[in-house]
Amino acid sequence: MSRYREIKIGGKVFEGLFTTRAMINIAELVGGDISKIGDWLNADTTDTAKTLKKTAQLAAEIINGATAARNADIGLGLATGEKKPLINADYLIDIFEPGELTTITYDVMACMRAGNEYEIPEGITLEEKDRDLEEIRKNVKAAAD
């Protein structure tokens, strides 16, 4: 399975890869702790322009991860072709259509999860309990008694 994933922005298809360099750069963007990416991305949910800019920044890092990896392979003679320039978030902002926000965010996050997939062994089922529903049922039952 390829670690590279597609990211579609403004009618163009880019290749994305979550590399160590991308992880370091994203960690710097979000304040040093990459596990806080969700908090950082959602901090300004009432300001769509800020959310779009942050999403473009993340996408640029992931796209540049793929470009840098391919360029390194070409430079080492492990692949053929011409090296490509890295892109910046401003370019993505210029071609970004606001209606694509959800799709682009999903594509970027899918790149970050690539390689972390796992198989659930046969005979094992995953069931997540809905704590809110359990509490509601408990309250309804208590009210009925």
Side-chain angles (χ1 to χ4, degrees), residues 4 14-17 19 21-22 25 56-74 82-92 95:
Y4 292 86
F14 298 92
E15 191 174 49
L17 179 63
T19 62
R21 184 177 311 281
N25 292 342
Q57 290 172 310
L58 290 176
E61 294 299 341
I62 296 295
I63 292 166
N64 285 337
T67 303
R70 295 276 188 212
N71 287 348
D73 285 346
I74 292 168
E82 291 186 31
K83 291 184 179 182
K84 296 181 181 178
L86 300 179
I87 62 168
N88 61 46
D90 288 338
Y91 169 72
L92 296 179
I95 66 169

Side-chain angles (χ1 to χ4, degrees), residues 97-128:
E97 295 174 21
E100 296 177 308
L101 178 61
T102 303
T103 304
I104 295 168
T105 302
Y106 177 83
D107 288 348
V108 167
M109 294 304 168
C111 285
M112 293 177 74
R113 288 189 308 270
N116 293 328
E117 297 172 10
Y118 56 91
E119 282 189 35
I120 299 170
E122 282 187 40
I124 303 294
T125 59
L126 294 180
E127 294 180 20
E128 185 175 334

